[in-house]
Amino acid sequence: MEKPIISFKDFSFQYVSQAEPTLKNINLEIYPGQKVLIAGPSGSGKSTLAKCLNGLIPNEDHGEIHGSCTINGRAITETSLFDLSFTTSTILQDSDSQFIGLTVAEDIAFALENDAVSRAEMQQIVDKWATELNLHDLLNHSPQELSGGQKQRVALAGVLVDGSPILLFDEPLANLDPVSGHKTMQLIEQIQAKTNATVIIIEHRLEEALTCPLDRVLVMSDGQIIADQTPNELLRTDILPNAGIRPPLYVEALKAANVDLTKIPDLASVQKLPVLPEITQALATLKGSTTLSNNETPVPQLSLENVSFSYSAEQKYPLSNISFTVNAGDFISIAGQNGAGKTTLVKLICGFLQGSGKITWENQDLAQTSIKERAEKIGYVMQDPNQMISQKMIFDEVALGLRLHGITDENEIKQKVAHVLKICGLYPFRNWPISALSYGQKKRVTIASILVLEPKLIILDEPTAGQDQQTYTEIMQFLQELNEQHGCTIIIITHDMHLMLEYTKRALVFSQGQLLADLTPVQLLSQTELLKQADLRQTSLYHLAQKYQLADTDSFIAGFDQLVHQKGEHHE
Amino acid sequence: MNNQNILGYQPQDSFIHRINASAKLFFFLVVSIACMTTFDTRFLLFVALFSVALFKTAHLKWQQVSFIVKFIIFFSLLNLIAVFIFQPTYGAQLYHSKDVLLSAGYFTVTAQELFYLANVALKYFCTVPLALLFLLTTDPSSFASSLNKIGISYKISYAVALALRYIPDIQTAYWNISAAQQARGNELSKKASLMTRLKGMVNIIVPLIFSSLERINTISTAMQLRRFGSKKKRTWYTQQPFTKTDFCVVALAICLFLTTLYLFKLNHGRFYNPFN
């Protein structure tokens, strides 16, 4: 029998700084050439497991090890980081900050440079992988200029030059739009077929990750492996939702419609589902209303007229002639590929940048107002909470805006901060240091610190990017509550088609500096050409509806959403 | 925020950009040393004009350097004034003659002192354009490889290059954080008092440091995972072979240096004395 390339035996690991082990009693064998997905919510230990595979544990992150872990026949405790890097190649989560070289070519060559390979040989190898991954036209570009999918290709080329037997992907989809995510999974599949490497993917976005055929899915929870099955087996169980991981949408829909799963031989993808009348009938029972209940006449709040901006004369796609109106109580999503001008637009609205055209707030021109004055009406939550947080304690962070606005009455501050913290579900933590919070909680602190200034409109830049199911639901339900119960107008920048459908009522679609469309997310779903231009992708739910030829796709999706929401509220 | 204002390498195609980084570094170091040692006005004048002319040919934009140039001018003026205050008679001693232009006791101004100060000022005109030219026309990786080539450890070379490379990134992060702070009411414009603004700056610096530290952490992990530091030597993908032009640049630097040695002999010392 073939020997496993990765083998954990009764393995436990406890970080020096932690009171409890992060990995508990792991027993795992992975054989050469297998494609394995490791899924788990934040804090389940999946990243720690990855660090054992590439040698960051125990070489960089120290801690106590029990049991054994051997990679390619060598114990990790006796292998240096450098030696192990020939066995395991790692593609890190944040491809933006892992680029070292100034140009694509240089970045691909980085490992070769460190191995002191001669220049001529280096050029040959770079050339080979650039051809393989279709990067030839980009070799002299800076990696930072590329689109999300191109960045992943460069990162991949940079480790493929090693020819390692194990390829480890740490959340490869976290920062990608759905189209790039899908392409990345295809690329992984293609490279695996070519190199026959063992592929380990750490990811919790199963909707996209499972589009690539996988041999096994491991589910981690609380430091342990709670499932190790084929996708087909796993998707039949309730292990994923119970562990806080969202199964692919089509599986959720099949379950919600009470389809008899034993009738389906292969559940791993929409394409492989059998077309049976009983499934069609069951799915057809999912029906929801697609008409918006809001019949009030819209009250215009924020208006843009022919707003344009360019950073420099050479900019390829400057923001040009953007006009739209946001009404009070709207819940809007702004979508579009990277570089479409979404963030620039928000910066113009907040006054961080000055462009041409007219921006009005409740019919008053904003041209002469300062950033500070605009912020009293329009709050902006940046994508990275670390760029917003400047205080040590939660209370002080939220109170900062009030204090800067000249409120000196500590009682008033206390009252207002307490009120906002309660809305955000952070009141029990009010005296905690911010460093003790999870990412999702930090995000809520930044929302609270904006909310305390009582803006009527809040703009959030990708509030759920890279979040697991629980944090995602937490943030989105909180925003929905703000919108419905506190009358706050909300605009979010997002790539997530399902998020748009599930929560927002209106979508603005951008591409190359232009506003292409202003419509409801349901309308957007059926416009294939528009979706393509904005790098959006229909969810598996849509494909499911198409496959079973459900008469009214919109109503089916709405019905599914309403059912999922009811369940969600039921749980609480 | 604006690309033009960022002090850092901007890829362009000019004669200066194309010169091999090692040749450029060699030229910059040797000519700077030559200008530091000699006080021959004719030589300094020539190099100063030459540097400014080179600066022109590189198609650099004034906005890119205006801040740093003003900064340097301010400190050189301060330096010249200090030199004068400490010893207004130094020029007269050096040139063994004394032509009084303005009689004012201790602060008596002589033609010799002014001439000496003019020489010092000229040195700035020789070296500052060269230094800026080198920084702005050499991409950080080539810079690192050239440092390594002249014998500096590659780890230090790479650290310098990375630091240079992240200047624009840190500037962008600074603008973002600053805007976010202003949106919460942190007044940083001239409307607020200096104390308020200084206090406000702290609120930007803290997140800036934390986000930068996080980046450094990620990049150093990424580098280690790709074996940076595993060997005593490394090769450089960007290292260009020497061309004829590069040899000419090196030769020119050596010629200039030899000229200063010749002038040394001709002037019987470091100083060119027009007062004899």
Side-chain angles (χ1 to χ4, degrees):
Chain A
M1 203 184 126
E2 207 178 3
K3 268 181 37 188
I5 189 162
I6 295 167
S7 156
F8 286 86
K9 281 206 186 83
D10 303 322
F11 184 86
S12 301
F13 179 77
Q14 183 175 344
Y15 286 103
V16 175
S17 55
Q18 302 276 320
E20 286 202 21
T22 304
L23 293 179
K24 297 168 199 161
N25 203 25
I26 303 285
N27 280 296
L28 172 66
E29 287 188 336
I30 294 172
Y31 292 90
Q34 282 193 326
K35 280 176 284 181
V36 181
L37 177 75
I38 303 179
S42 308
S44 62
K46 60 187 193 304
S47 305
T48 306
L49 191 72
K51 283 181 177 174
C52 297
L53 299 180
N54 62 24
L56 286 175
I57 290 174
N59 289 303
E60 282 298 303
D61 292 338
H62 307 287
E64 204 177 318
I65 292 177
H66 291 286
S68 76
C69 168
T70 41
I71 312 284
N72 211 12
R74 288 193 292 185
I76 56 164
T77 42
E78 284 148 29
T79 318
S80 79
L81 189 57
F82 296 140
D83 284 339
L84 205 52
S85 75
F86 286 106
T87 311
T88 312
S89 285
T90 315
I91 290 99
L92 292 173
Q93 178 182 354
D94 184 359
S95 54
D96 238 341
S97 54
Q98 72 177 290
F99 289 124
I100 307 156
L102 209 64
T103 62
V104 169
E106 221 186 309
D107 195 78
I108 298 175
F110 185 74
L112 301 170
E113 292 181 319
N114 295 329
D115 293 341
V117 172
S118 76
R119 254 193 94 230
E121 198 183 333
M122 212 149 40
Q123 272 169 338
Q124 217 178 352
I125 301 173
V126 169
D127 198 61
K128 180 187 157 203
W129 287 109
T131 315
E132 193 70 52
L133 296 174
N134 198 14
L135 288 169
H136 252 294
D137 299 335
L138 305 172
L139 281 181
N140 293 319
H141 284 63
S142 147
Q144 272 75 15
E145 290 169 12
L146 309 180
S147 72
Q150 289 170 332
K151 281 177 186 168
Q152 285 290 359
R153 285 193 344 241
V154 175
L156 189 56
V159 297
L160 284 173
V161 297
D162 287 346
S164 312
I166 301 172
L167 295 176
L168 172 66
F169 294 85
D170 189 1
E171 303 204 22
L173 308 179
N175 297 311
L176 295 184
D177 56 72
V179 171
S180 311
H182 182 63
K183 283 188 187 152
T184 300
M185 290 310 297
Q186 284 178 326
L187 182 68
I188 294 175
E189 191 188 344
Q190 175 200 330
I191 290 297
Q192 198 277 336
K194 190 150 263 167
T195 59
N196 205 25
T198 309
V199 171
I200 318 269
I201 304 164
I202 314 258
E203 188 54 70
H204 54 74
R205 267 168 64 178
L206 295 199
E207 167 87 11
E208 280 115 10
L210 286 180
T211 55
C212 156
L214 298 161
D215 297 310
R216 293 157 74 180
V217 182
L218 305 181
V219 181
M220 293 200 65
S221 175
D222 199 23
Q224 286 170 309
I225 296 174
I226 56 165
D228 179 359
Q229 289 169 304
T230 64
N232 181 29
E233 286 163 2
L234 181 68
L235 292 175
R236 288 165 199 278
T237 67
D238 284 327
I239 294 173
L240 287 173
N242 290 343
I245 306 161
R246 188 165 207 173
L249 293 166
Y250 71 93
V251 177
E252 273 193 328
L254 290 170
K255 284 184 183 167
N258 295 316
V259 171
D260 183 3
L261 296 183
T262 52
K263 293 257 165 63
I264 299 173
D266 192 346
L267 200 55
S269 72
V270 177
Q271 293 84 33
K272 287 180 184 154
L273 300 177
V275 184
L276 297 170
E278 55 256 53
I279 299 179
T280 315
Q281 275 163 21
L283 288 175
T285 58
L286 287 182
K287 263 188 202 145
S289 81
T290 49
T291 46
L292 295 175
S293 51
N294 192 352
N295 293 323
E296 294 159 36
T297 38
V299 183
Q301 211 168 41
L302 176 77
S303 260
L304 277 76
E305 272 172 61
N306 295 320
V307 171
S308 300
F309 180 82
S310 69
Y311 284 97
S312 68
E314 298 96 50
Q315 198 186 347
K316 229 174 173 180
Y317 301 115
L319 208 59
S320 49
N321 289 319
I322 307 296
S323 302
F324 63 87
T325 300
V326 176
N327 298 315
D330 268 352
F331 199 151
I332 298 178
S333 45
I334 293 184
Q337 80 273 72
N338 295 340
K342 303 177 302 258
T343 303
T344 308
L345 178 77
V346 174
K347 285 182 173 171
L348 285 165
I349 294 174
C350 297
F352 298 175
L353 296 172
Q354 302 294 332
S356 64
K358 196 171 166 191
I359 302 179
T360 55
W361 176 265
E362 291 172 350
N363 294 323
Q364 274 182 316
D365 195 343
L366 287 180
Q368 299 306 319
T369 52
S370 69
I371 295 180
K372 186 176 167 181
E373 285 161 334
R374 288 191 201 198
E376 285 155 15
K377 305 173 180 87
I378 308 162
Y380 172 38
V381 181
M382 294 161 85
Q383 191 180 346
D384 180 1
N386 294 329
Q387 288 200 340
M388 294 185 72
I389 293 169
S390 61
Q391 307 293 311
K392 271 201 226 75
M393 309 304 286
I394 294 177
F395 183 90
D396 293 330
E397 180 63 30
V398 178
L400 180 71
L402 295 173
R403 289 183 177 141
L404 288 170
H405 274 79
I407 298 175
T408 46
D409 179 2
E410 277 300 316
N411 271 329
E412 190 188 343
I413 292 179
K414 225 174 195 169
Q415 216 180 342
K416 283 191 169 175
V417 172
H419 177 65
V420 168
L421 287 177
K422 275 176 195 158
I423 296 177
C424 300
L426 290 167
Y427 190 68
F429 309 111
R430 62 196 177 281
N431 295 321
W432 280 33
I434 291 172
S435 53
L437 299 182
S438 73
Y439 183 93
Q441 289 169 325
K442 273 190 193 172
K443 191 91 203 178
R444 276 190 287 162
V445 170
T446 60
I447 298 175
S449 66
I450 294 299
L451 215 54
V452 79
L453 297 172
E454 295 166 12
K456 288 184 179 162
L457 166 67
I458 298 186
I459 306 175
L460 300 104
D461 200 343
E462 304 210 27
T464 58
Q467 302 309 301
D468 62 13
Q469 169 72 3
Q470 196 194 343
T471 319
Y472 169 99
T473 317
E474 239 175 65
I475 294 174
M476 288 317 298
Q477 282 184 350
F478 165 59
L479 290 177
Q480 196 169 34
E481 214 179 280
L482 276 183
N483 178 252
E484 283 168 5
Q485 288 168 24
H486 301 267
C488 210
T489 313
I490 292 177
I491 300 179
I492 52 179
I493 298 181
T494 182
H495 288 304
D496 187 337
M497 190 72 223
H498 193 68
L499 181 152
M500 295 167 73
L501 285 164
E502 208 173 346
Y503 293 95
T504 68
K505 296 164 195 146
R506 201 175 140 195
L508 300 175
V509 185
F510 284 82
S511 177
Q512 302 183 338
Q514 312 261 349
L515 175 60
L516 294 186
D518 178 353
L519 68 191
T520 68
V522 176
Q523 287 168 334
L524 173 62
L525 194 62
S526 46
Q527 302 208 22
T528 321
E529 193 51 40
L530 192 59
L531 289 170
K532 212 170 162 187
Q533 280 176 298
D535 275 355
L536 290 168
R537 193 166 174 269
Q538 281 134 342
T539 59
S540 61
L541 216 47
Y542 180 83
H543 296 297
L544 188 71
Q546 295 284 301
K547 174 150 188 158
Y548 291 98
Q549 298 178 337
L550 301 181
D552 191 348
T553 311
D554 303 351
S555 151
F556 166 67
I557 292 173
F560 169 74
D561 282 345
Q562 280 150 18
L563 202 69
V564 170
H565 271 233
Q566 279 167 15
K567 258 172 117 186
E569 277 154 31
H570 204 71
H571 272 295
E572 277 177 15
Chain B
M1 194 120 299
N2 195 333
N3 280 337
Q4 316 277 320
N5 290 333
I6 288 170
L7 179 72
Y9 169 69
Q10 302 266 327
Q12 257 179 38
D13 192 33
S14 81
F15 170 69
I16 310 281
H17 284 82
R18 279 194 298 270
I19 299 176
N20 187 300
S22 304
K24 237 186 292 187
L25 182 65
F26 180 82
F27 184 86
F28 163 62
L29 289 178
V30 169
V31 175
S32 298
I33 290 167
C35 293
M36 289 298 169
T37 46
T38 187
F39 270 88
D40 190 292
T41 320
R42 297 160 298 185
F43 180 80
L44 289 176
L45 209 56
F46 171 73
V47 177
L49 287 175
F50 185 64
S51 314
V52 174
L54 280 181
F55 203 82
K56 280 265 170 212
T57 60
H59 308 299
L60 294 175
K61 294 206 177 70
W62 169 243
Q63 294 108 294
Q64 272 177 276
V65 293
S66 63
F67 173 74
I68 193 87
V69 168
K70 283 177 198 159
F71 187 80
I72 293 170
I73 289 177
F74 174 75
F75 276 96
S76 359
L77 277 177
L78 213 62
N79 184 32
L80 291 178
I81 292 168
V83 169
F84 176 71
I85 290 173
F86 281 117
Q87 211 176 358
T89 55
Y90 189 59
Q93 285 170 27
L94 275 178
Y95 298 110
H96 314 293
S97 59
K98 194 174 178 182
D99 300 315
V100 176
L101 295 178
L102 190 79
S103 183
Y106 176 77
F107 293 112
T108 296
V109 180
T110 63
Q112 284 73 15
E113 180 68 15
L114 283 187
F115 184 69
Y116 168 72
L117 292 177
N119 277 316
V120 176
L122 263 180
K123 282 170 188 276
Y124 291 118
F125 278 100
C126 294
T127 49
V128 171
L130 284 183
L132 287 175
L133 199 60
F134 180 75
L135 283 180
L136 295 172
T137 64
T138 314
D139 81 78
S141 334
S142 306
F143 178 51
S145 74
S146 63
L147 279 180
N148 185 216
K149 204 173 185 188
I150 62 167
I152 293 167
S153 129
Y154 77 79
K155 286 183 188 167
I156 294 172
S157 310
Y158 219 96
V160 173
L162 276 182
L164 282 179
R165 205 183 100 185
Y166 282 116
I167 292 174
D169 281 18
I170 291 173
Q171 275 177 322
T172 320
Y174 176 85
W175 286 118
N176 282 335
I177 295 168
S178 157
Q181 281 289 328
Q182 289 181 58
R184 286 165 71 186
N186 194 344
E187 190 66 73
L188 297 166
S189 66
K190 284 177 184 149
K191 280 184 212 163
S193 74
L194 188 67
M195 263 322 277
T196 326
R197 271 154 70 194
L198 283 177
K199 270 191 207 155
M201 290 292 280
V202 176
N203 284 337
I204 299 177
I205 301 295
V206 171
L208 185 66
I209 291 175
F210 279 109
S211 67
S212 304
L213 283 178
E214 209 169 292
R215 289 206 66 158
I216 293 170
N217 202 2
T218 315
I219 196 103
S220 71
T221 308
M223 287 171 75
Q224 286 192 31
L225 284 173
R226 288 160 78 186
R227 293 188 295 284
F228 183 80
S230 63
K231 291 199 169 170
K232 282 204 173 120
K233 273 187 179 171
R234 89 195 285 279
T235 46
W236 304 82
Y237 184 83
T238 47
Q239 195 158 54
Q240 302 291 331
F242 261 57
T243 60
K244 256 187 210 155
T245 327
D246 301 324
F247 281 113
C248 292
V249 170
V250 171
L252 181 64
I254 294 172
C255 285
L256 286 171
F257 188 73
L258 291 177
T259 314
T260 58
L261 291 185
Y262 170 71
L263 289 170
F264 216 70
K265 216 174 149 193
L266 195 76
N267 297 333
H268 305 290
R270 288 162 63 200
F271 298 90
Y272 163 67
N273 192 345
F275 298 102
N276 276 345

